[in-house]
Amino acid sequence: EPDDMSVWDFMDLYDQPTGTEPWVIHGLIRKRHKMMVVRTEGGSKSWLLRFIALCASYGIQPWRHTQIRPVRTMLVDAENPEDAMAESFKAILTKMTRERPDVARDDIESRVWHRAAGINLRSKLDQTQFENLIRVRRPELVCLGPMYCVFETKPGEPWETPARQVQAFLKSMMVRYDFALMIEDHAPQDRSGGMRPYGSSFWRRWLDMGVALEPLNDDRTSYELKHWRGSRVTTDWPKYVHRSDKWPFVGGWEGETI
């Protein structure tokens, strides 16, 4: 049999326990798995991914706020202005340092690659820069987005073409460097088909899990997490996400009082 292919005996797969990829954040995402969070513009997606990344790097489970193993994280922001990012990081880090005063700043392995003008992961230059960062920092979790700002399209080409190319590149990086991927993206203005990623339906098929933030009140302090792409494995994601005074976000599960 060829040495450069993963050739399995059917019974070996039968005997293998399910969910064998180790958790990066227990109950939320496994190594080499990929998920996406969508919401309309200004819908807390960026805050949510920053919160998850910083919690993980401080060794805090984002929704239950229990202590976990600290996670090396890389946040790739391809849209937001620096002052907006600084405001959110300050608010989140204030909570983190209060909750984990035992964690020294130099021990936190969390980095931000800020590209407010966007990235083009279809270009060799930006692919090389992205891979160099991953190779040097070796994150276990990469938070990336918004998706429409990380690649460029050519006039007249179908959405499927850039989707396939970017997916192939990201997948190769995940396999080579063993990280999990969380993506944020905007939902289309026309949501007659439900909350879903903007652009090609290939994103829905490619992901291991996809959730949408649906506001439950006018002031957008509570959201329901609706799964538009069911998870391939059992997870512990909450049904609801709430803003609070103690934490930027807290999780809520079925049967709990909102």
Side-chain angles (χ1 to χ4, degrees):
E1 295 179 345
D3 294 332
D4 61 345
M5 294 178 64
S6 296
V7 180
W8 292 78
D9 182 282
F10 287 152
M11 295 310 295
D12 289 341
L13 288 174
Y14 176 81
D15 293 334
Q16 184 172 325
T18 58
T20 54
E21 287 287 6
W23 290 105
V24 174
I25 304 176
H26 188 79
L28 299 192
I29 192 167
R30 291 181 182 270
K31 183 190 296 185
R32 298 189 185 182
H33 282 217
K34 47 205 180 298
M35 69 159 295
M36 181 182 287
V37 179
V38 301
R39 178 73 185 106
T40 53
E41 292 85 347
S44 298
K45 303 178 302 300
S46 297
W47 267 78
L48 194 72
L49 261 64
R50 292 169 198 160
F51 176 69
I52 291 172
L54 285 171
C55 277
S57 66
Y58 266 84
I60 299 172
Q61 210 276 4
W63 309 126
R64 297 188 181 275
H65 309 136
T66 52
Q67 189 168 329
I68 61 172
R69 176 187 64 83
V71 176
R72 294 188 306 276
T73 62
M74 172 70 73
L75 181 67
V76 182
D77 190 298
E79 179 184 47
N80 294 289
E82 187 174 337
D83 56 346
M85 292 183 59
E87 180 183 354
S88 63
F89 276 112
K90 183 176 181 180
I92 296 169
L93 286 170
T94 298
K95 308 295 185 182
M96 298 297 102
T97 54
R98 181 198 64 204
E99 189 69 19
R100 293 296 306 272
D102 56 308
V103 178
R105 178 172 179 172
D106 291 343
D107 294 335
I108 302 301
E109 294 190 78
S110 184
R111 297 292 185 271
V112 180
W113 188 27
H114 184 219
R115 291 282 296 269
I119 308 167
N120 184 14
L121 291 181
R122 300 177 70 188
S123 79
K124 290 297 183 183
L125 175 60
D126 285 0
Q127 286 180 353
T128 300
Q129 290 182 337
F130 182 91
E131 182 170 5
N132 284 341
L133 281 169
I134 300 299
R135 178 178 53 79
V136 172
R137 294 298 179 184
R138 295 285 175 164
E140 299 167 273
L141 173 66
V142 174
C143 297
L144 171 70
M147 179 51 64
Y148 81 96
C149 287
V150 303
F151 63 87
E152 296 177 3
T153 58
K154 300 174 183 177
E157 71 177 350
W159 281 106
E160 287 74 14
T161 300
R164 282 183 180 276
Q165 292 176 355
V166 174
Q167 289 169 7
F169 171 72
L170 290 174
K171 184 65 175 180
S172 69
M173 293 296 98
M174 293 171 66
V175 171
R176 185 176 303 167
Y177 297 106
D178 262 355
F179 62 86
L181 180 65
M182 287 188 176
I183 304 169
E184 65 147 309
D185 202 10
H186 296 320
Q189 293 295 327
D190 178 11
R191 294 194 295 280
S192 57
M195 196 76 76
R196 62 191 189 281
Y198 185 79
S200 173
S201 63
F202 278 27
W203 291 110
R204 185 190 296 259
R205 305 172 214 169
W206 183 68
L207 297 162
D208 298 297
M209 177 179 165
V211 297
L213 289 171
E214 292 279 10
L216 295 174
N217 46 29
D218 292 337
D219 58 2
R220 296 187 177 186
T221 56
S222 290
Y223 297 88
E224 181 178 355
L225 289 180
K226 291 190 174 181
H227 290 249
W228 48 264
R229 171 65 168 88
S231 177
R232 299 185 195 272
V233 297
T234 302
T235 64
D236 188 35
W237 278 78
K239 184 175 178 59
Y240 307 103
V241 171
H242 313 292
R243 296 276 197 172
S244 75
D245 293 331
K246 183 177 180 181
W247 293 92
F249 295 98
V250 297
W253 281 261
E254 191 72 56
E256 295 182 353
T257 303
I258 299 176

